Amino acid sequence: MSTQTSPKSRRGGCPLCGKPSAASHTPFCSQGCRDRDLLNWLGDSYRVPGPPAENGEDRLDSEG
């Protein structure tokens, strides 16, 4: 079995591309990776699996 690691899992590297992180953009390597990570958050690319959220109108109707 191979113990090869992906660039994202390397310790101390940029979480997006795996390059060494820069002190001015920690933990990222550049402003570009930093911006790309922010866009992932804003665009709902990072999601946590779970049950579907209730619709706000349904919740109000069921409360009384």
Side-chain angles (χ1 to χ4, degrees):
M1 182 178 250
S2 176
T3 59
Q4 188 176 17
T5 60
S6 68
K8 291 182 184 181
S9 66
R10 276 190 227 147
R11 188 173 182 180
C14 177
L16 292 178
C17 70
K19 293 179 184 175
S21 61
S24 59
H25 303 293
T26 302
F28 305 101
C29 66
S30 66
Q31 186 66 40
C33 279
R34 203 174 172 160
D35 290 344
R36 199 167 9 134
D37 182 67
L38 177 60
L39 289 173
N40 284 338
W41 282 106
L42 295 174
D44 290 333
S45 292
Y46 297 140
R47 298 180 189 183
V48 177
E54 291 183 22
N55 187 343
E57 294 175 12
D58 293 341
R59 220 175 329 132
L60 291 176
D61 291 341
S62 64
E63 289 177 2

